Amino acid sequence: MEPSPLESAATADTPLVVGSVTLTSRLIVGTGKYPSFDVMRDCHTLSGAQMVTLAVRRIGPGGEQEGLLEHLDRSKLQFLPNTAGCFDVESAVRTARLARDLLSTNAIKLEVLGDTRTLLPDPIGTLEATRALVAEGFEVWVYTSDDPRLAVHLEQAGAAAIMPAGSPIGSGQGVLNPNAIRILMELVSCPVIVDAGVGTASDTALAMELGVAGVLLNTAIAAAKDPRRMAVAMRDGVRAGRQAFLAGRMPKKLYGSASSPEAGRIAAQAPGS
Amino acid sequence: MGERRIEILVNGNPAHVAEGCTVEALIAQLGLRSEVVAAEVERELVPRARRSERVLAPGERVELVTLVGGG
């Protein structure tokens, strides 16, 4: 259902712009771990996302493993290839070059991870790879920890977007340190997108209420019991959080504050007044 | 004239191709759809526009990749 003119005016927003990419949806979703291509396609549509992430992998002995691209409508979705699974700078740079050759896009989601157990980003490798890829003309959407000073270095290296993890990849723990994300946003001027760690819709709302430009998630939809329903929940969570941020929340107070008038009550004098 | 064959490594596995085989010919020989494949030889990207020029030498390591689901 189309929103009414009143709602459209009340909820007007600017698009999310990262490098040459412009998105009116602030939710970016993945293409991995879905039970089937049908479910994936439905989830993409239901989530309202305009950009999806993809991974680059060797072709197996039997040929192309899956016809992923046949299930993605590039007229509706922009593609953000990633360097997932890279644990060193050289692999990440090589993967980015292969992705650009496959998709003719300069956008790359850079991941340089530290180890297979935690999947935490490696800060030094991430910074070095960012420099290398920026020098080759890539628009680097860089997955990183929530360290604010590292974010400053990444922005200075030319990153197009800083994408701090809310919590470890695929952990579903949500945004564990909102204050770090807040400080990070104060120190950089490029778009900040929470990438990784989102488990459920309230996590996206909380992230967006902090003022981040967007949320990127995959497993939270793909691994939900009902992925289609969760795709809708994530769409609404991101939207609710974004609107709450733009609206500006009321200040928190220690004591209660009545919404109804004090004057004109028929009740007896209240205790404490 | 007997065609001479060379051994190369494709995605880490030994493969045999005709001497003078290009990256483009290798992709065709494997029955892959060229548009969904990217190639590198000896860790260097072979851009799709140059696949028909890049001749494979014995022992060279070729990577052929495609896009898969990911986050």
Side-chain angles (χ1 to χ4, degrees):
Chain A
M1 197 176 76
E2 286 294 304
S4 67
L6 172 63
E7 182 179 335
S8 296
T11 59
D13 193 1
T14 52
L16 166 57
V17 179
V18 178
S20 60
V21 173
T22 299
L23 305 168
T24 53
S25 166
R26 291 173 179 275
L27 175 61
I28 299 166
V29 297
T31 55
K33 296 190 184 173
Y34 287 92
S36 71
F37 282 135
D38 278 348
V39 173
M40 179 189 78
R41 231 177 359 216
D42 286 353
C43 287
H44 288 167
T45 303
L46 292 165
S47 72
Q50 295 165 335
M51 178 175 248
V52 295
T53 54
L54 310 98
V56 175
R57 287 293 179 274
R58 277 177 168 176
I59 290 169
E64 297 136 62
Q65 293 144 319
E66 46 176 313
L68 176 65
L69 288 179
E70 286 150 39
H71 299 274
L72 299 171
D73 182 353
R74 209 170 180 182
S75 69
K76 295 188 180 130
L77 295 169
Q78 303 202 55
F79 291 166
L80 181 61
N82 68 32
T83 67
C86 290
F87 291 85
D88 62 278
V89 175
E90 195 211 344
S91 303
V93 170
R94 285 168 57 202
T95 302
R97 291 173 183 151
L98 288 162
R100 178 156 68 179
D101 190 68
L102 276 163
L103 289 171
S104 305
T105 173
N106 285 323
I108 187 76
K109 175 184 158 179
L110 174 64
E111 285 185 32
V112 181
L113 305 179
D115 64 272
T116 54
R117 187 162 69 93
T118 68
L119 297 181
L120 292 172
D122 179 68
I124 311 299
T126 299
L127 180 58
E128 285 178 14
T130 300
R131 288 190 180 122
L133 291 172
V134 168
E136 294 188 23
F138 284 93
E139 292 177 357
V140 183
W141 304 47
V142 55
Y143 170 67
T144 177
S145 70
D146 59 11
D147 185 285
R149 292 305 315 174
L150 175 59
V152 171
H153 287 290
L154 293 168
E155 182 174 46
Q156 286 170 352
I162 307 288
M163 305 210 290
S167 51
I169 296 178
S171 74
Q173 297 181 64
V175 178
L176 291 180
N177 191 347
N179 289 340
I181 306 268
R182 272 201 191 97
I183 295 169
L184 188 157
M185 279 189 296
E186 285 189 14
L187 298 186
V188 301
S189 53
C190 68
V192 175
I193 295 169
V194 166
D195 176 5
V198 166
T200 188
S202 56
D203 296 333
T204 67
L206 188 147
M208 294 305 296
E209 284 175 18
L210 296 174
V212 300
V215 172
L216 194 164
L217 59 87
N218 186 123
T219 312
I221 291 177
K225 282 184 187 156
D226 182 345
R228 292 181 179 91
R229 196 181 287 273
M230 188 58 92
V232 175
M234 292 303 186
R235 177 199 68 189
D236 292 347
V238 167
R239 189 172 153 75
R242 176 65 180 172
Q243 290 299 325
F245 167 72
L246 292 174
R249 63 154 300 149
M250 62 165 279
K252 288 184 182 178
K253 293 176 194 157
L254 185 57
Y255 299 125
S257 170
S259 318
S260 304
E262 296 291 313
R265 292 176 297 123
I266 62 164
Q269 181 83 354
S273 62
Chain B
M1 185 180 98
E3 189 180 60
R4 288 179 55 181
R5 297 184 75 78
I6 59 168
E7 183 174 300
I8 57 172
L9 279 176
V10 178
N11 292 350
N13 301 309
H16 294 88
V17 295
E19 194 171 36
C21 179
T22 63
V23 172
E24 182 176 73
L26 172 66
I27 291 169
Q29 179 182 319
L30 294 173
L32 302 173
R33 286 178 306 140
S34 160
E35 66 274 16
V36 295
V37 176
E40 64 172 26
V41 179
E42 293 295 310
R43 298 176 170 241
E44 289 286 332
L45 175 73
V46 180
R48 55 191 61 235
R50 302 221 193 97
R51 284 179 193 169
S52 58
E53 304 159 13
R54 180 60 168 87
V55 175
L56 296 166
E60 281 195 316
R61 293 165 298 169
V62 181
E63 293 287 344
L64 297 177
V65 301
T66 191
L67 291 159
V68 301

